[in-house]
Amino acid sequence: MHQNPIHASRGIPRKGDFPARASLGLALVLLALLLAYQQHSAYRSIIQQHAGHLAAMTRIAGQALDTHFNEQAGQASETQHNQAHAVKYDAYVLGVLESLRYAPDAWSALIQDDGGVLLELPGVSTHAVPDAAGELFRQHRRSGQRQSAAEGMVQHIRGEQIMAFFTLKPGGPASSAPLTVALGRSKNAVLASWYLASLMQAGVFLMAALCAYAGLRAHRRRQAERTAAAASAQAHLRTSAEDYSLVVEHTSDLVMRMDASGCIVYANPALCELLGKTREQITGSAVADILPVNEKGESLAGISALGSPPHTASFRRSHRTGKGQRQLCWLFQGLLDPDGQMQEVVAIGRDVTHHAPQPNNLELLARQDFLTGLSNRRHFLEQAEIEIERARRFKSSTSLLLMDLDHFKAINDAHGYKAGDQVLAALGDMLRLSLRWIDITGRMGGDEFAILLPATNMDAALKVAQRLGAAIHAQEIELDGGARVRCAASIGISSADHQDCTLEKLMDQAGLALHQAKHTGRHRVCAWGQTPYRV
């Protein structure tokens, strides 16, 4: 059975997860080391600061006691014992020692040279001071210095003590040996703020580590979900590609793909069979090679226009194939890249030889004007409605030209109705050659013509109308019998964007513009709502 990749990720980590986990672990270790170094530095700084503070206080107190004892040295007349007894109850000495106890947990004392305690003001324990005259005091005496500071464990007191010693000048009243002022304080009390800061920092680090781990877990899960989604999409694409290939390879329709330059990159078996060529012979050739010689220009122009909306083209052409002359109906669709540039063209064709209309077929007569070969009025209106609907879908502008020949009746009167028919037929040929393959042209009746211009705004339509008007006036038509005639046309233009584009509105506005062109001197181009232009 296949295992869900999302659930599989919860077990043994995948190979790609180890770099992320190792990076996170290394970052946490480095952060922990940095925090430990910072806290150790803060610890030593606090210890040194308090040791210096205690040393300064003992020095000041010792100097004060030196001065006091020197003043009383000449007045001493009793025994050494009585003098020591007097020191114990000397108010000044007691006051000095009491002033050293700047915190409830601090203690102070006067220690004799042999380690005995002469006077004590204990802080946290009555047995603290005698113990203080132990190893730490002996270290002070061995140093040979009057002042020193140390830290260490003191019996009968929980925790370590920070102590400072200052030895008075010898010959004091209590003994011929010098006395030493001792000041101590609980190390835990000194470091209380440091303990709190360390605890808070450790908590923050732990929370950061937990959040980082949770983030890594969430990242791994999202990555697993994306991987699973990508794998599912790839599987779907493979399935779609296989289905597409299966359909295209076995369909009777003709399918080919071209790049933006018109070079064929794929041809399905049906097209190869119809052309009588192998896929290798067709692939890499230009699409012009399979188009009728007399229609290459028009067809290539239509294909090149696929880069503009609506990016589609359809036409029916007669092809010379391996099965003889065939009528093929083609649909071309341009495929765009994300930047809107045409990247590929897909063409689907169908052999409609057996369904192609004959010249005298009623279907052909129903949609084509017999005289000009253009669309008749009904077929023009049908095609125009389809094109306008496409314009709404692709949000493009559409323009309409209504054209009427000037003084056409004079040609009929002077040369006969046959000459008028020749003029109309020549005009139909000229319009087919002058317009794009996507433009829809129809004879609306008599000497009136309509031209629908897809994806064309008013400015572009005005230029087209001026060009057609000039071409019609410049064209000299040779009639049967050798006579030559010229004619002119009045043209009305209307244009609308996709939001309010309807065929009825375009026809009404173009009709009003044409009426204005005729009543302002003829041989003019008039855009609806604008001043007429003389061609």
Side-chain angles (χ1 to χ4, degrees), residues 418-477:
K418 187 176 181 181
D421 291 344
Q422 289 179 331
V423 170
L424 294 177
L427 180 61
D429 293 337
M430 189 273 293
L431 292 177
R432 271 194 300 271
L433 296 175
S434 302
L435 296 170
R436 301 173 299 177
W437 67 272
I438 60 172
D439 298 332
I440 302 173
T441 308
R443 182 186 177 195
M444 306 305 288
D447 59 341
E448 185 177 353
F449 295 83
I451 303 169
L452 189 75
L453 303 175
T456 305
N457 58 23
M458 177 62 82
D459 292 338
L462 185 59
K463 294 178 181 179
V464 172
Q466 291 174 337
R467 177 171 55 83
L468 289 178
I472 293 171
H473 186 258
Q475 184 181 25
E476 190 175 55
I477 303 172

Side-chain angles (χ1 to χ4, degrees), residues 378-453:
R378 182 179 66 84
H379 187 249
F380 172 83
L381 296 177
E382 292 174 352
Q383 294 299 109
E385 287 287 4
I386 295 173
E387 193 59 46
I388 289 175
E389 180 59 34
R390 183 182 287 113
R392 294 194 194 100
R393 187 165 62 253
F394 292 98
K395 299 180 179 180
S396 60
S397 300
T398 305
S399 297
L400 177 70
L401 309 183
L402 282 184
M403 182 172 62
D404 191 80
L405 295 180
D406 297 330
H407 307 296
F408 182 69
K409 184 176 183 299
I411 296 176
N412 285 331
D413 293 343
H415 301 281
Y417 287 99
K418 187 176 181 181
D421 291 344
Q422 289 179 331
V423 170
L424 294 177
L427 180 61
D429 293 337
M430 189 273 293
L431 292 177
R432 271 194 300 271
L433 296 175
S434 302
L435 296 170
R436 301 173 299 177
W437 67 272
I438 60 172
D439 298 332
I440 302 173
T441 308
R443 182 186 177 195
M444 306 305 288
D447 59 341
E448 185 177 353
F449 295 83
I451 303 169
L452 189 75
L453 303 175

Side-chain angles (χ1 to χ4, degrees), residues 291 299 302-303 313-317 319 328-332 437:
L291 297 175
S299 300
I303 295 172
S314 60
F315 46 80
R316 179 179 295 181
R317 294 291 182 266
H319 293 256
L328 303 181
C329 183
W330 287 102
L331 173 64
F332 287 79
W437 67 272

Side-chain angles (χ1 to χ4, degrees), residues 136-183:
L136 295 182
F137 175 72
R138 286 191 290 273
Q139 291 178 6
H140 166 71
R141 297 297 293 151
R142 286 196 296 266
S143 68
Q145 298 179 356
R146 295 189 66 190
Q147 181 173 340
S148 67
E151 57 176 300
M153 186 68 70
V154 176
Q155 296 180 4
H156 305 293
I157 301 177
R158 294 182 179 180
E160 297 184 354
Q161 296 283 311
I162 301 176
M163 305 179 197
F165 300 95
F166 186 87
T167 301
L168 305 180
K169 293 179 181 180
S175 171
S176 59
L179 297 176
T180 298
V181 179
L183 174 62

Side-chain angles (χ1 to χ4, degrees), residues 24 28 31 202-216:
L24 177 61
L28 291 177
L31 180 60
V204 172
F205 173 78
L206 181 60
M207 290 185 62
L210 292 176
C211 291
Y213 179 73
L216 179 61

Side-chain angles (χ1 to χ4, degrees), residues 52 54-65 100 147 164-166 181:
L54 294 179
M57 293 184 68
T58 55
R59 183 176 65 253
I60 295 172
Q63 292 172 351
L65 291 178
L100 294 177
Q147 181 173 340
F165 300 95
F166 186 87
V181 179

